[in-house]
Amino acid sequence: MLYFMSDYTEGAHPGVLQRLTELNMVSLPGYGEDEYCEAAKEKIKKFCGRDDLQIQFLTGGTQTNLLVISTMLRRYEAVIAAETGHINVHEAGAIEYSGHKVLTVPSRNGKVVAEDVAELAERFYDDGTHEHMSFPGMVYISHPTEVGTLYTREELRKLSEVCRKYDMPLYMDGARLGYGLMSPESDLSIKDICELCDVFYIGGTKVGALCGEAVVFTHGNMPRGFTTMTKQQGAMLAKGRLLGMQFDALFTDGLYLEIGRRGIETAMKLKKAFIEKGYELYIDSPTNQQFIILSPEQYERLSKIAAFSIWEKIDSSRIAVRFVTSWATSDEALDELISQL
Amino acid sequence: MLYFMSDYTEGAHPGVLQRLTELNMVSLPGYGEDEYCEAAKEKIKKFCGRDDLQIQFLTGGTQTNLLVISTMLRRYEAVIAAETGHINVHEAGAIEYSGHKVLTVPSRNGKVVAEDVAELAERFYDDGTHEHMSFPGMVYISHPTEVGTLYTREELRKLSEVCRKYDMPLYMDGARLGYGLMSPESDLSIKDICELCDVFYIGGTKVGALCGEAVVFTHGNMPRGFTTMTKQQGAMLAKGRLLGMQFDALFTDGLYLEIGRRGIETAMKLKKAFIEKGYELYIDSPTNQQFIILSPEQYERLSKIAAFSIWEKIDSSRIAVRFVTSWATSDEALDELISQL
Amino acid sequence: MLYFMSDYTEGAHPGVLQRLTELNMVSLPGYGEDEYCEAAKEKIKKFCGRDDLQIQFLTGGTQTNLLVISTMLRRYEAVIAAETGHINVHEAGAIEYSGHKVLTVPSRNGKVVAEDVAELAERFYDDGTHEHMSFPGMVYISHPTEVGTLYTREELRKLSEVCRKYDMPLYMDGARLGYGLMSPESDLSIKDICELCDVFYIGGTKVGALCGEAVVFTHGNMPRGFTTMTKQQGAMLAKGRLLGMQFDALFTDGLYLEIGRRGIETAMKLKKAFIEKGYELYIDSPTNQQFIILSPEQYERLSKIAAFSIWEKIDSSRIAVRFVTSWATSDEALDELISQL
Amino acid sequence: MLYFMSDYTEGAHPGVLQRLTELNMVSLPGYGEDEYCEAAKEKIKKFCGRDDLQIQFLTGGTQTNLLVISTMLRRYEAVIAAETGHINVHEAGAIEYSGHKVLTVPSRNGKVVAEDVAELAERFYDDGTHEHMSFPGMVYISHPTEVGTLYTREELRKLSEVCRKYDMPLYMDGARLGYGLMSPESDLSIKDICELCDVFYIGGTKVGALCGEAVVFTHGNMPRGFTTMTKQQGAMLAKGRLLGMQFDALFTDGLYLEIGRRGIETAMKLKKAFIEKGYELYIDSPTNQQFIILSPEQYERLSKIAAFSIWEKIDSSRIAVRFVTSWATSDEALDELISQL
């Protein structure tokens, strides 16, 4: 079976695993206070070109979204997300479980646009009864989005501007950030992200780690007590080294970007093949998730040789499906799939 | 520096790491739905001698305590723990953050005793105003306890009896269970635990894994929606394989007990040395945590060659300290430490 | 100034206040355990024609919605409401603060319709990833709705059927129930409500009380520990008598329905006058809230003599406004307003 | 039956009820934005001799404690209380339900003393692992306490000093404040309270109102969004006038203090009678709650003619009981009880 189900179906990138193996017997303090966590933070700062960042490692995406959003919002505030935003749909109501409403704006090709946020905020503050409502307190975006699309620099700049106007931190979920940074269609750099977002995370789980995400606060705005709240949420690893060493490996010798590059390269090759063979794209994605429309017959046939997922049943004759590539996608698997299209 | 700080200062037991390495490139479904999680569950059931157990893997101890306790309690119920219980002291108020009070009973050598629980429950139900109070809804114990002590079979039986009388599930935190099971002073078997507790967890993080704990529900009592609530709390790993493969390795060829055995063997050798050299025990622990009373001079001298932790400053001339051994404690380090006592 | 702002702008109906005054010096137990609470419950049961109801008095609408919904939902469940539902918009995120998501369906003239709920539930259970999502666990409706409309018996029957199919309790917010029951256009009786809803509340605050709502569980389904959770939420009055005596008065000699009748009578007279004088209705409401479209000039002029509220600015030439009548609306005020239209 | 059960067993002081009756038909805005709420706040400021206070009316004591504590604590902070503190025992775990731990210090005759708080805070900050623990973030006291005792000015000054040293707001639960202020044994004035506490509440429910407490923030420290959080907790009355008018009445012509005076006068007469007739005091209370030790025979006899409550069964021959007086205690009832002692 050719595996295109997702970008978290294999273990770690061999370079990451090697680092864990080499350092396995070194005795270190727990809870992320070891030297490898420190080194990894320094390397990430260098990668971002900024030495004033505050960085914390966490284990997974939902955990990170939950901790960041719930510690940055005031109790009476809500977070704004696209209707399709991961926190609004696929995180089991984690944000609400932490006490906060998710206010939605339309998904514009997977993205939150500045105009919609501005309108929501204006309407809110114009409303004479707004003290009886959840205050818009933060904006959540994902980059790449859940449907593989990317913010342009200009889109992010405008969104950031609206957020600052209404005093709402802008938070970017970068679960697949490595793939976004390496997409040839993107003009958004990591420096731009540091400048325009108040907080974001650099995804590890989907970009070569066994687990792990690196949260980055961009202007000294890490919430007071963040470490204690990490513990309080059950999100602190005793062996914090597991995260530190992996990110240390990912940010040594350009491995993180190399992983991103490989995911994009294979995705673009696959996309091109789909197009050439006459398949219709469901979404035109510039990243490692590709969304294709299949007929039931095509679906039947391809699902015998490849593992991929149904995204949406459009109607009786069209099924939107998702193929995902990653650092782990082999040329052999890719060529074999393409030959069968 | 000789490292006796804790049992989570190295990476994984080499056997665990090897399994992760061997299976690294196998493509598998996410979220714990892979065959290695399944296999690990089967091996744990076999280890427990019971095929009706419900098992779920989680990442760390606080996370596990938080999820188990908050999903088993009704909203108006509290959990009973010893004053020294980990959930009452060192988990950053995680239980309270989930909405529940921790009701305390005295620590009897680290343990919760049946009589204290019975008295608390009786007093509660006798009180005419108890509808205005948090209901005692569950009992939390750790085995080994935070101070290394162990429940006897009889102690646990009596506690279990009280719990069943008052309809309070009995929950055992087994962060260091492997060491408890292999202590020669213990008469409590894993089968006893399955019979007497309603839920417990088999600790991995402190017993050879990089991370991971296995929660075991003993009589079909896993809360409805447990998977969704795991996700909701940010406690679900996308690469659930990381936990499954590690527990698969730990429960293959007796590795879990072998790790426990090694931790106990080294701890007993160290304890014997302390006693022979005239040191006073602060607590007489039959497991891998040893508590010794040092003078300030002794502390000064030993802390130059070994890493260990201060447990309590008793008075100006006595410091209680903790030395912890584990699977990772080498004979060389142990002998060197003993020679320096 | 003629007051048509809302139905909670005066104190209590004189009959209610009289009861409080008469019984003021009687010494009684606290926390709702007095004989007047008991008597009021009996009268409500009689009013409903059912002696197996469980009834609890609370102080206000948001408090009631919060307590009922948060105690009936399981931790991983969400409540379904219309987009315009009070809990989704004007209760400051209280439901989310209690840990639960509000899932929305379109507002069909202020109402939730069975088809939309069925579609949401079907889509949810069909989704292979639904374990990572908030489960639909309850349906919230208001009757009359926030825009004054009413469910027909048939609409409620169909909704109830869907709710039972998917094991979701149906909850009716009856903040203005008295007005709904007395609308000549309604075919829905209190007996129907008891039969078709799992829980509902009979609003007091907007129907003649100083404060107070009576929650009714219709089939022995009051959540275990409800009294304790009422206290836990800060929703229990020490002088529970304040609620019991008011409801006792409201359900003596038909006062509750008489209040409803008077609110409807005045509203219909006002509606008729608006129509006759050529005003356009924004919503055709059969209850005590009337929604009219005004030009800016009309708004300007009327707002000099009467207090009413802006509902929505439709466009630059049309403003939707709301006039509310109640038991307290006098003939003089009404006639004066009509003469000025 | 002579009623000495508590100070909330009758309705409102006649002066309070009269105000509600007089103003019943006045049309007013909802949610506490009416002129009577405003007037009541002004009168309370005058009573306190300070015009910079921020005041909000709430309905009951548990509700007030819950809202104040949960909005003033940071998420990782706990509140310190005496073991006997109302929030620790009789509020159904409301504080924990809001996510915060209650840290306890010994009850020193019902009171929290500065030394105990200082020791707790010092121990906490000295502990190397304190980032894994709930931070002490606030101190809760009641005045009069749950056992009727009072803080002296010096005790409160020292406590306030410790609180400020460790940046923990000092919060006084004044459910029975009126009785405390009028006790001849007290040297603590309302001005002292305003100066030494960061927030406190003036109890209405137990001091002549049907319901209602007035929260006072003493130095511009009302939490941002307090109104919205009041709504979010279900603690906002639509007819806020009910609270405003009652406090307006209580703080007109010295009624609040007059009520306190009457409660104290009757309590002292009763206490004197108990002492003269040879009864032993369980606690020597200078306020309106009197704690007496009875033999089983005395208890049997007195409980036939009077309603009072058992406080604690000391041993088989001694029962501690509580008699409570209030503004509503009549001379007749008091004399009759005394004659029967």
Side-chain angles (χ1 to χ4, degrees):
Chain A
M1 185 66 78
L2 308 168
Y3 232 75
F4 291 87
M5 277 303 278
S6 77
D7 31 22
Y8 47 85
T9 50
E10 287 78 28
H13 185 280
V16 169
L17 195 56
Q18 190 187 339
R19 184 70 52 99
L20 288 175
T21 305
E22 284 166 7
L23 300 172
N24 188 53
M25 294 308 295
V26 180
S27 297
L28 292 170
Y31 306 113
E33 297 180 352
D34 63 274
E35 62 201 80
Y36 297 96
C37 284
E38 211 38 56
K41 289 178 188 179
E42 287 309 310
K43 287 175 183 173
I44 289 172
K45 288 181 194 172
K46 207 160 174 183
F47 174 74
C48 295
R50 288 268 299 271
D51 55 15
D52 60 343
L53 303 174
Q54 293 170 302
I55 299 167
Q56 184 100 338
F57 299 114
L58 291 164
T59 313
T62 297
Q63 182 179 90
T64 301
N65 289 337
L66 173 53
L67 188 64
V68 169
I69 293 171
S70 69
T71 61
M72 293 194 73
L73 287 180
R74 293 186 185 91
R75 176 176 140 179
Y76 57 94
E77 291 178 339
V79 58
I80 297 173
E83 275 175 1
T84 51
H86 207 254
I87 58 166
N88 191 45
V89 184
H90 277 110
E91 300 191 354
I95 299 303
E96 290 86 356
Y97 181 61
S98 83
H100 299 280
K101 195 178 187 67
V102 179
L103 292 169
T104 56
V105 287
S107 163
R108 308 293 186 185
N109 210 15
K111 293 183 268 187
V112 171
V113 303
E115 291 73 13
D116 290 333
V117 172
E119 194 200 314
L120 185 154
E122 275 157 38
R123 235 184 316 124
F124 175 81
Y125 286 105
D126 277 357
D127 189 327
T129 65
H130 75 258
E131 286 210 320
H132 289 202
M133 296 163 74
S134 288
F135 279 59
M138 192 171 186
V139 173
Y140 165 91
I141 59 173
S142 43
H143 178 85
T145 67
E146 292 76 9
V147 292
T149 52
L150 292 169
Y151 286 82
T152 64
R153 194 187 181 292
E154 181 59 12
E155 285 169 341
L156 194 66
R157 198 195 55 68
K158 284 168 65 183
L159 191 54
S160 181
E161 199 171 83
V162 171
C163 287
R164 282 167 195 181
K165 177 172 174 190
Y166 289 102
D167 193 23
M168 304 185 290
L170 177 58
Y171 169 45
M172 178 185 281
D173 174 335
R176 295 187 167 98
L177 188 58
Y179 303 111
L181 290 173
M182 294 309 284
S183 170
E185 296 186 28
S186 178
D187 69 345
L188 190 68
S189 71
I190 188 71
K191 284 189 184 55
D192 295 332
I193 292 170
C194 288
E195 185 195 321
L196 298 171
C197 293
D198 297 282
V199 52
F200 64 99
Y201 82 82
I202 300 174
T205 303
K206 291 172 179 163
V207 193
L210 285 169
C211 62
E213 328 295 329
V215 185
V216 183
F217 293 91
T218 62
H219 49 86
N221 56 329
M222 178 182 277
R224 190 171 157 170
F226 197 73
T227 299
T228 303
M229 296 186 290
T230 302
K231 179 77 181 169
Q232 186 186 50
Q233 192 187 294
M236 185 180 280
L237 285 188
K239 296 182 179 171
R241 62 194 285 150
L242 171 59
L243 302 175
M245 289 171 182
Q246 291 186 93
F247 274 94
D248 184 70
L250 287 172
F251 285 87
T252 299
D253 297 338
L255 180 57
Y256 191 73
L257 292 184
E258 169 53 24
I259 288 174
R261 194 197 57 72
R262 174 69 188 163
I264 292 296
E265 178 182 60
T266 47
M268 292 305 111
K269 191 168 167 187
L270 181 58
K271 180 181 182 177
K272 188 156 160 279
F274 272 118
I275 294 172
E276 286 176 2
K277 304 221 175 176
Y279 289 79
E280 192 185 344
L281 300 182
Y282 180 61
I283 292 156
D284 186 355
S285 157
T287 60
N288 72 318
Q289 299 184 83
Q290 292 298 319
F291 300 85
I292 312 296
I293 298 174
L294 301 184
S295 68
E297 297 70 35
Q298 289 171 325
Y299 175 77
E300 188 70 16
R301 187 168 53 76
L302 284 176
S303 62
K304 277 187 189 129
I305 56 156
F308 55 94
S309 56
I310 293 179
W311 193 254
E312 201 186 323
K313 289 174 186 161
I314 307 172
D315 54 38
S316 63
S317 67
R318 295 182 304 164
I319 306 167
V321 299
R322 184 183 74 161
F323 285 81
V324 188
T325 66
S326 77
W327 59 271
T329 305
S330 69
D331 286 328
E332 291 70 31
L334 191 61
D335 292 344
E336 174 66 16
L337 173 64
I338 289 173
S339 75
Q340 299 277 347
L341 293 182
Chain B
M1 185 66 76
L2 307 168
Y3 231 75
F4 292 86
M5 277 303 278
S6 77
D7 32 21
Y8 46 86
T9 49
E10 288 78 27
H13 185 280
V16 169
L17 196 55
Q18 192 188 338
R19 184 70 52 100
L20 288 175
T21 306
E22 283 165 8
L23 300 173
N24 189 53
M25 294 308 294
V26 180
S27 296
L28 291 170
Y31 306 114
E33 297 180 352
D34 62 275
E35 64 201 82
Y36 297 97
C37 284
E38 210 40 55
K41 289 178 188 180
E42 288 309 310
K43 286 174 182 174
I44 289 173
K45 288 181 195 173
K46 205 161 176 184
F47 174 74
C48 295
R50 288 267 301 270
D51 55 15
D52 60 341
L53 304 174
Q54 293 170 301
I55 300 167
Q56 184 101 338
F57 299 113
L58 291 164
T59 312
T62 297
Q63 181 179 90
T64 301
N65 290 336
L66 173 52
L67 187 63
V68 169
I69 293 171
S70 69
T71 60
M72 292 194 72
L73 288 180
R74 294 186 185 90
R75 175 175 140 178
Y76 56 95
E77 292 179 337
V79 59
I80 297 174
E83 276 175 359
T84 51
H86 207 253
I87 57 166
N88 191 45
V89 186
H90 277 110
E91 300 191 353
I95 300 303
E96 290 87 356
Y97 180 60
S98 82
H100 300 279
K101 194 177 187 68
V102 179
L103 292 169
T104 56
V105 288
S107 163
R108 308 293 186 185
N109 209 17
K111 292 183 270 188
V112 171
V113 303
E115 291 74 14
D116 290 334
V117 172
E119 194 200 315
L120 184 154
E122 275 158 38
R123 234 184 315 123
F124 176 81
Y125 286 105
D126 277 357
D127 189 326
T129 65
H130 75 259
E131 287 211 319
H132 290 200
M133 297 162 73
S134 288
F135 280 59
M138 192 171 185
V139 172
Y140 164 92
I141 60 173
S142 43
H143 178 84
T145 68
E146 292 75 10
V147 293
T149 52
L150 292 169
Y151 286 82
T152 64
R153 193 187 181 290
E154 182 57 13
E155 286 170 341
L156 194 66
R157 198 194 55 69
K158 284 169 64 184
L159 190 54
S160 181
E161 200 171 82
V162 172
C163 287
R164 282 166 194 183
K165 179 173 172 188
Y166 290 102
D167 193 22
M168 304 184 291
L170 177 57
Y171 169 46
M172 178 186 280
D173 175 334
R176 293 185 169 99
L177 188 59
Y179 304 111
L181 291 173
M182 294 308 285
S183 171
E185 296 186 30
S186 178
D187 70 345
L188 191 67
S189 71
I190 188 70
K191 283 188 184 55
D192 295 333
I193 292 169
C194 288
E195 185 195 321
L196 298 170
C197 293
D198 297 282
V199 53
F200 66 98
Y201 83 81
I202 300 174
T205 304
K206 290 171 179 164
V207 194
L210 285 169
C211 62
E213 328 295 328
V215 185
V216 182
F217 293 90
T218 62
H219 48 85
N221 56 329
M222 179 182 277
R224 190 172 157 168
F226 197 72
T227 300
T228 304
M229 296 186 291
T230 302
K231 179 77 181 170
Q232 188 186 49
Q233 192 188 290
M236 184 179 280
L237 284 189
K239 295 182 179 171
R241 63 194 284 151
L242 171 59
L243 303 174
M245 288 172 183
Q246 290 186 93
F247 273 94
D248 184 70
L250 287 172
F251 285 87
T252 298
D253 297 338
L255 180 57
Y256 192 73
L257 291 184
E258 169 54 25
I259 287 173
R261 195 197 59 73
R262 174 68 187 165
I264 291 297
E265 179 182 62
T266 47
M268 292 306 112
K269 191 170 169 188
L270 182 58
K271 180 181 182 178
K272 189 156 160 279
F274 272 119
I275 293 170
E276 285 176 1
K277 304 219 175 178
Y279 288 79
E280 192 185 345
L281 300 181
Y282 180 61
I283 291 156
D284 186 355
S285 157
T287 59
N288 72 317
Q289 300 185 84
Q290 293 297 318
F291 300 85
I292 313 294
I293 298 175
L294 301 182
S295 68
E297 297 72 35
Q298 288 171 325
Y299 175 77
E300 189 70 17
R301 187 167 54 77
L302 284 176
S303 62
K304 278 188 187 127
I305 57 156
F308 54 95
S309 56
I310 292 179
W311 192 253
E312 199 185 325
K313 289 173 185 163
I314 307 172
D315 55 36
S316 63
S317 67
R318 295 182 303 166
I319 305 167
V321 300
R322 184 183 73 160
F323 285 81
V324 188
T325 66
S326 76
W327 59 272
T329 306
S330 70
D331 286 327
E332 292 69 30
L334 190 61
D335 292 344
E336 175 67 16
L337 174 62
I338 290 173
S339 75
Q340 300 277 347
L341 293 182
Chain C
M1 185 66 79
L2 309 168
Y3 231 75
F4 291 87
M5 276 304 277
S6 77
D7 31 23
Y8 46 87
T9 49
E10 287 78 28
H13 185 280
V16 169
L17 196 55
Q18 191 188 337
R19 184 70 52 98
L20 288 174
T21 305
E22 285 165 7
L23 299 172
N24 189 53
M25 294 308 294
V26 180
S27 296
L28 291 170
Y31 306 114
E33 298 180 352
D34 63 274
E35 62 200 82
Y36 297 97
C37 285
E38 211 40 56
K41 289 178 190 180
E42 288 309 310
K43 288 175 182 171
I44 289 173
K45 287 181 196 173
K46 208 162 173 183
F47 174 75
C48 295
R50 288 268 300 270
D51 55 15
D52 60 342
L53 303 174
Q54 293 170 303
I55 300 167
Q56 184 99 340
F57 300 113
L58 292 164
T59 313
T62 297
Q63 182 179 90
T64 301
N65 290 337
L66 173 53
L67 187 63
V68 169
I69 293 171
S70 70
T71 61
M72 292 195 71
L73 287 180
R74 294 187 185 89
R75 175 176 141 179
Y76 56 95
E77 291 178 340
V79 58
I80 297 173
E83 274 175 2
T84 50
H86 208 252
I87 58 167
N88 190 45
V89 184
H90 276 109
E91 300 191 354
I95 300 303
E96 290 87 356
Y97 180 60
S98 82
H100 299 280
K101 194 178 188 69
V102 179
L103 292 169
T104 56
V105 288
S107 164
R108 308 292 186 186
N109 210 16
K111 292 183 270 187
V112 171
V113 301
E115 291 72 13
D116 290 333
V117 172
E119 193 199 315
L120 185 154
E122 275 158 39
R123 235 185 315 123
F124 176 80
Y125 286 106
D126 277 357
D127 189 326
T129 65
H130 75 258
E131 287 211 319
H132 289 201
M133 297 163 72
S134 288
F135 279 58
M138 191 170 186
V139 172
Y140 165 92
I141 59 173
S142 42
H143 178 86
T145 68
E146 291 75 10
V147 293
T149 51
L150 291 169
Y151 286 81
T152 64
R153 195 187 181 290
E154 181 58 12
E155 285 170 341
L156 194 66
R157 198 194 56 69
K158 283 168 66 183
L159 191 54
S160 181
E161 199 173 82
V162 171
C163 286
R164 282 166 195 181
K165 178 172 174 190
Y166 289 102
D167 193 23
M168 303 185 291
L170 177 58
Y171 170 46
M172 178 187 279
D173 175 335
R176 295 185 167 99
L177 188 59
Y179 304 111
L181 291 174
M182 295 309 286
S183 171
E185 297 187 29
S186 179
D187 69 345
L188 191 67
S189 71
I190 188 70
K191 283 187 185 57
D192 295 331
I193 292 170
C194 287
E195 184 195 322
L196 298 171
C197 293
D198 297 281
V199 53
F200 65 98
Y201 82 82
I202 300 174
T205 304
K206 292 171 178 161
V207 193
L210 285 169
C211 60
E213 327 295 329
V215 185
V216 182
F217 293 91
T218 62
H219 48 86
N221 57 327
M222 179 183 277
R224 190 171 158 168
F226 196 72
T227 300
T228 303
M229 296 186 290
T230 302
K231 179 76 180 168
Q232 187 186 50
Q233 192 189 291
M236 185 179 280
L237 284 189
K239 295 182 179 171
R241 62 193 285 147
L242 171 58
L243 303 175
M245 289 171 182
Q246 291 187 94
F247 274 93
D248 184 68
L250 287 173
F251 285 88
T252 299
D253 296 338
L255 180 57
Y256 192 72
L257 291 184
E258 169 55 24
I259 288 174
R261 195 196 58 73
R262 174 70 187 162
I264 292 296
E265 179 183 60
T266 47
M268 291 306 111
K269 192 170 167 186
L270 181 59
K271 181 180 181 178
K272 190 158 158 278
F274 272 120
I275 292 171
E276 287 175 2
K277 304 220 175 176
Y279 289 79
E280 191 185 346
L281 301 181
Y282 180 62
I283 292 157
D284 186 355
S285 158
T287 59
N288 72 317
Q289 300 185 83
Q290 292 298 319
F291 300 86
I292 314 295
I293 298 174
L294 300 182
S295 68
E297 297 70 33
Q298 289 171 325
Y299 175 76
E300 188 70 18
R301 186 167 55 78
L302 284 176
S303 62
K304 276 186 190 128
I305 57 156
F308 55 93
S309 55
I310 291 179
W311 193 254
E312 200 186 322
K313 290 174 186 161
I314 306 172
D315 54 36
S316 62
S317 66
R318 295 181 303 164
I319 305 168
V321 300
R322 185 183 73 161
F323 285 81
V324 189
T325 65
S326 77
W327 58 272
T329 305
S330 70
D331 287 326
E332 292 69 31
L334 191 62
D335 292 343
E336 173 68 15
L337 174 63
I338 289 173
S339 74
Q340 300 278 347
L341 293 183
Chain D
M1 186 66 80
L2 308 168
Y3 233 76
F4 292 87
M5 277 303 278
S6 77
D7 32 21
Y8 47 86
T9 49
E10 288 79 27
H13 185 280
V16 169
L17 196 55
Q18 192 188 337
R19 184 72 51 101
L20 288 175
T21 305
E22 286 165 8
L23 300 173
N24 189 53
M25 294 308 295
V26 181
S27 297
L28 291 170
Y31 306 114
E33 296 180 355
D34 63 275
E35 63 201 81
Y36 297 96
C37 285
E38 209 40 54
K41 289 178 188 179
E42 288 308 310
K43 287 175 183 174
I44 289 173
K45 288 181 196 173
K46 206 161 176 183
F47 175 75
C48 295
R50 288 267 300 270
D51 55 14
D52 60 342
L53 304 174
Q54 293 169 301
I55 300 167
Q56 184 101 339
F57 300 113
L58 291 164
T59 313
T62 297
Q63 181 179 90
T64 302
N65 290 336
L66 173 52
L67 188 63
V68 169
I69 293 171
S70 69
T71 60
M72 292 194 72
L73 287 180
R74 293 186 186 91
R75 175 175 141 177
Y76 56 95
E77 292 178 338
V79 58
I80 297 174
E83 275 175 0
T84 51
H86 208 254
I87 57 166
N88 191 45
V89 184
H90 277 110
E91 300 190 355
I95 300 304
E96 290 86 356
Y97 180 60
S98 82
H100 300 280
K101 195 178 187 68
V102 179
L103 292 168
T104 57
V105 289
S107 163
R108 308 293 186 186
N109 210 15
K111 292 182 270 187
V112 171
V113 302
E115 291 73 13
D116 290 333
V117 172
E119 194 200 316
L120 185 153
E122 275 158 37
R123 234 184 316 122
F124 175 81
Y125 287 105
D126 277 358
D127 189 325
T129 65
H130 75 258
E131 287 211 319
H132 289 201
M133 296 162 73
S134 288
F135 279 59
M138 191 170 186
V139 172
Y140 165 92
I141 59 173
S142 43
H143 178 85
T145 68
E146 291 76 10
V147 294
T149 52
L150 292 170
Y151 286 82
T152 64
R153 192 186 183 292
E154 181 58 12
E155 286 170 341
L156 194 66
R157 198 196 53 70
K158 284 168 65 182
L159 191 53
S160 180
E161 199 172 82
V162 171
C163 287
R164 282 167 193 181
K165 178 172 174 191
Y166 290 102
D167 192 22
M168 303 184 291
L170 178 57
Y171 169 47
M172 178 185 281
D173 175 335
R176 295 185 167 98
L177 188 59
Y179 304 110
L181 291 173
M182 294 309 284
S183 171
E185 296 187 27
S186 179
D187 70 344
L188 191 67
S189 71
I190 188 70
K191 284 188 184 55
D192 295 332
I193 292 170
C194 288
E195 184 195 322
L196 298 171
C197 294
D198 298 281
V199 53
F200 65 99
Y201 82 83
I202 300 174
T205 304
K206 292 170 177 163
V207 193
L210 285 169
C211 62
E213 327 295 329
V215 185
V216 182
F217 293 91
T218 63
H219 48 85
N221 56 328
M222 178 182 277
R224 187 171 159 169
F226 196 71
T227 300
T228 303
M229 295 186 291
T230 302
K231 179 77 181 169
Q232 186 186 51
Q233 192 188 290
M236 184 179 280
L237 285 188
K239 295 183 179 170
R241 61 195 283 149
L242 171 59
L243 303 174
M245 289 172 182
Q246 291 187 92
F247 273 94
D248 184 69
L250 287 172
F251 284 89
T252 298
D253 296 338
L255 179 57
Y256 192 73
L257 292 183
E258 170 54 23
I259 287 173
R261 194 198 58 72
R262 174 69 187 164
I264 291 297
E265 179 183 59
T266 47
M268 292 305 112
K269 192 169 168 188
L270 181 59
K271 180 181 182 178
K272 188 156 160 281
F274 272 119
I275 293 171
E276 286 176 1
K277 304 222 175 177
Y279 289 79
E280 191 184 345
L281 300 181
Y282 180 62
I283 292 156
D284 185 356
S285 157
T287 59
N288 72 318
Q289 300 185 85
Q290 292 298 318
F291 300 85
I292 313 295
I293 298 174
L294 301 183
S295 68
E297 297 71 34
Q298 289 172 325
Y299 175 77
E300 189 70 17
R301 186 168 55 76
L302 284 176
S303 62
K304 277 187 190 127
I305 57 156
F308 55 94
S309 57
I310 292 179
W311 192 253
E312 198 184 325
K313 290 173 184 163
I314 306 172
D315 54 36
S316 63
S317 66
R318 295 181 304 164
I319 305 167
V321 300
R322 185 183 73 160
F323 285 81
V324 188
T325 66
S326 76
W327 58 273
T329 306
S330 70
D331 286 327
E332 293 69 31
L334 190 61
D335 292 344
E336 174 68 15
L337 174 63
I338 289 172
S339 76
Q340 300 277 348
L341 292 183

